Amino acid sequence: MVRERLSEMVDKGLVTRTGLISHGRGEAFDYLMGERSSEPALRAERAAAAYLLRAGSPVVCVNGNAAALDPANLIALAREVPAKMEVNIFHRTEERMSLLISYLEENGAGRVLGRDPDARIPGLSSDRALCTREGIYGSDVILVPIEDGDRAKALADMGKTVISIDLNPLSRTSRTATVSICDEMTRALENIMAAVRALRGDPGAIEGEIKAFSNERNRKEAVEGICSSLRSEFERGA
C-alpha cells in the first residue's frame, strides 16, 4: 500500500523518482531490523520528545517523501509539541512547493511555511538552502525525517539540535544528527508523540532523558541489533 501511494504521488508531482529509490533503501534496513521499533529507536524517540519539549522554537521539516508517507502524523506531532511546519525539498520548483504545502493543508495542517523563503542555510549551494527565518533558519530544534547528509550537517553547523528519522544508522545524516532515530517514519512519529505526552509538564524527566542519551552509543546498538537480527534469521532458516 505504501509503495502504491508513493507511486501515485510521483504521478501527482509530490514525490520524485529518486525519492522512490530512497524509500526502497529504507525499506531494506527496516526489514533487517525486524520491522519493529527497537530499544535504541525507542530510546532515541524519547530523547527527541524531550528536546522538542525543551525547545524555544521547534520546527518539523517536511520533504516530498515524508509528506507522501504520513502527513497525518507529521501534522499531529507538530500540533502536539507544538512546533512550526516548513516544507523544504531538493528538487524545488514553485509548482512542487505549492503542491506539497497544499497537500499538507488539505490534510489538516495549519499554516505551513516554505512558499516564500527569505533566508539561506549557510554551506549549501542547492535549493535546499532556501528556507524561512520564521521557521527553519530561526529554529533551535529541528526534526528532519528522511534527510540528506549535506543538509543535516549544515543545520548542525548552525548550532541546531538536529533530530533525524533515518532507518540507516550508518548514513551521513545519522552520523551528523544530535538524535538519530533509526525507525520507520510512522512508528517513529507515533512513539515521539507518546513520549511527548508522557514527559510534558515534568522538567526533571525531560532533562533526565536528554542527559542520559548518547547518540553514538545508541547508533552502535542499532547496528548491533541489525547484526543480531540477521544471525537469528539465518539460524531459524538453517
Side-chain angles (χ1 to χ4, degrees):
M1 289 173 65
V2 169
R3 291 172 188 172
E4 286 297 324
R5 185 165 70 250
L6 284 172
S7 177
E8 179 185 341
M9 292 301 178
V10 169
D11 293 337
K12 291 182 176 180
L14 277 75
V15 175
T16 65
R17 286 182 173 82
T18 54
L20 294 180
I21 297 170
S22 174
H23 177 76
R25 182 174 57 190
E27 276 192 347
F29 274 94
D30 197 22
Y31 178 77
L32 296 177
M33 293 175 180
E35 296 177 303
R36 60 182 178 83
S37 296
S38 65
E39 182 51 41
L42 291 167
R43 196 181 301 125
E45 286 150 3
R46 290 192 296 269
Y51 273 111
L52 287 166
L53 285 169
R54 196 181 70 170
S57 184
V59 167
V60 174
C61 186
V62 183
N63 64 15
N65 274 36
L69 285 170
D70 197 347
N73 274 317
L74 287 165
I75 294 164
L77 176 61
R79 284 179 176 165
E80 189 73 42
V81 172
K84 295 170 184 172
M85 295 188 77
E86 181 165 341
V87 170
N88 179 279
I89 53 178
F90 187 85
H91 299 284
R92 182 187 178 108
T93 64
E94 293 307 310
E95 179 185 10
R96 189 162 173 246
M97 286 293 294
S98 181
L99 282 170
L100 283 166
I101 292 172
S102 297
Y103 180 68
L104 290 170
E105 290 172 345
E106 288 164 7
N107 276 275
R111 181 164 168 258
V112 179
L113 302 169
R115 276 195 180 98
D116 302 306
D118 57 2
R120 293 186 66 91
I121 300 167
L124 293 177
S125 57
S126 72
D127 283 348
R128 293 224 71 180
L130 296 172
C131 63
T132 68
R133 291 187 179 276
E134 181 184 351
I136 290 170
Y137 193 87
S139 66
D140 55 349
V141 177
I142 182 166
L143 175 72
V144 287
I146 318 172
E147 184 60 88
D148 69 73
D150 289 345
R151 187 163 171 277
K153 183 178 185 306
L155 291 167
D157 287 346
M158 292 177 73
K160 301 183 186 302
T161 295
V162 178
I163 301 167
S164 67
I165 301 176
D166 187 330
L167 277 156
N168 180 1
L170 302 174
S171 71
R172 287 180 302 159
T173 299
S174 292
R175 294 199 305 267
T176 299
T178 313
V179 179
S180 305
I181 300 171
C182 299
D183 203 355
E184 186 272 332
M185 194 183 84
T186 290
R187 293 197 304 265
L189 294 171
E190 291 175 348
N191 290 337
I192 294 169
M193 279 191 282
V196 164
R197 296 183 193 110
L199 291 169
R200 190 188 307 281
D202 191 341
I206 290 170
E207 289 300 322
E209 289 288 349
I210 291 171
K211 288 179 180 177
F213 183 75
S214 166
N215 202 49
E216 183 177 356
R217 182 179 67 236
N218 221 53
R219 283 181 52 242
K220 181 180 178 183
E221 290 183 15
V223 173
E224 289 170 349
I226 291 174
C227 295
S228 176
S229 177
L230 284 170
R231 282 194 296 269
S232 296
E233 286 297 324
F234 177 78
E235 289 166 3
R236 276 198 292 268

